[in-house]
Amino acid sequence: MPQRREAAIVGIHEYPLRVVGPGTSALQIKAASAIKALEDAGLSYKDIDAVYDTGSHQGIGGLGISEYLGLKPKVIDNTAVGGTSYEFQANHAAKMIAAGKCEVALLTYGSTAHSDRRNIGTAGGTSQGPATPAGNMEDSWGQTLIANYGMVKRRHMHQYGTTDEQFAEISVVTRRHAMRNPEAVKAMTDLEFVGVNEITVQDVVDSRVIAHPLHLLECCMISDGGGAVIIASPEVAANCAKKPAWIIGTGEATKYRENGGDITVSAGAQSGPIAFADAGVTPDEIDVLMAYDSFSITVMCM
């Protein structure tokens, strides 16, 4: 099956610091990343006619980014669905480009969560922001994000007989790959990891429990950082500085907490087959998998 080439990634940048310290804002990270991504593509600000940003940090989304950078985009998208927001946005950008609504899309992200000492995942939800339907049912019991994931892991162990050792294999493999990436090693060093080295299954199961049954080495660290991606039409991509990476297939799915729902299966289990079908490829043709791994259970639920 011929793979379509309607939109491509032509420029990228990953902000190099995981601890930015005081004086650097999420907006500055986004702007700096946008400049570098445009340089990577061989493009300039005047080429951008679409902006994608969740606005999840400092409340500055596509409109704020456009104003800050002096852009006049035809398209702005602030889709925010958690950690997968940027895959959604890449899909939306590719579709809008294919439809002729824009030619060059800028996707930006920036966070200073570590420097702000934001207790993501471990803070209680009570009295944080306006009441929500889900919050009304859970905040009063002191539920936290990591406790939610702990419950999912416990359910997975009950439902499928999965063991701590099997979950630990995920942490072991991700650390093994990280130790072969100088940028990841630098990030772990800057974040003051206890032991910047490969780990074993025993190391994982012996690490302290954070939210039963999740252990410390099954949880991601909170860091600063960000990046930017440039997605362009075939006509623009043909004249960019580097060989384009074509977006050949995408998939979206929705999953949320619901009574009677299977919490051991994520939306990724639904969106994956959609993306494979869209691209006309099969899983055995894939050489690289980059999975969202906030916790070991996040990967297992795919």
Side-chain angles (χ1 to χ4, degrees), residues 22 56 62 119 136 168 224 257:
S56 57
N119 48 359
N136 288 342
D224 301 331
R257 290 168 287 188

Coordinates of all heavy atoms in Angstrom, one line a residue, residues 22 56 62 119 136 168 224 257:
P22 N 15.8 29.7 38.7 CA 14.9 30.9 38.7 C 15.3 31.8 37.5 O 16.4 31.8 37.0 CB 15.3 31.5 40.0 CG 16.6 31.0 40.4 CD 16.7 29.6 39.9
S56 N -0.8 24.6 28.9 CA -1.0 24.0 30.2 C 0.0 24.6 31.3 O -0.2 24.4 32.4 CB -0.7 22.5 30.1 OG 0.6 22.3 29.5
G62 N -1.8 28.9 22.3 CA -1.5 29.3 21.0 C -1.6 30.8 20.7 O -0.7 31.4 20.0
N119 N 4.5 19.8 43.0 CA 4.4 18.4 43.4 C 3.3 17.7 42.6 O 2.3 17.2 43.1 CB 4.0 18.4 44.9 CG 2.9 19.3 45.3 OD1 2.4 20.0 44.5 ND2 2.5 19.3 46.6
N136 N -15.2 16.1 42.7 CA -16.2 16.0 43.8 C -16.3 14.6 44.3 O -16.6 14.4 45.5 CB -17.5 16.4 43.2 CG -17.6 17.9 43.0 OD1 -16.8 18.7 43.5 ND2 -18.6 18.3 42.2
A168 N 9.0 -4.4 36.8 CA 10.3 -3.9 36.9 C 11.1 -4.0 35.7 O 12.0 -3.1 35.4 CB 11.0 -4.6 38.1
D224 N 12.2 20.2 34.5 CA 12.0 21.3 33.6 C 12.2 20.8 32.1 O 12.8 19.7 31.9 CB 12.9 22.5 33.9 CG 12.7 23.0 35.3 OD1 11.6 22.8 35.9 OD2 13.7 23.5 35.9
R257 N -11.9 8.1 33.4 CA -12.4 7.3 34.5 C -14.0 7.2 34.4 O -14.7 8.1 34.2 CB -12.1 8.0 35.9 CG -10.6 7.9 36.2 CD -10.3 8.8 37.3 NE -10.3 10.2 36.9 CZ -9.9 11.2 37.7 NH1 -9.5 11.0 38.9 NH2 -10.0 12.5 37.3

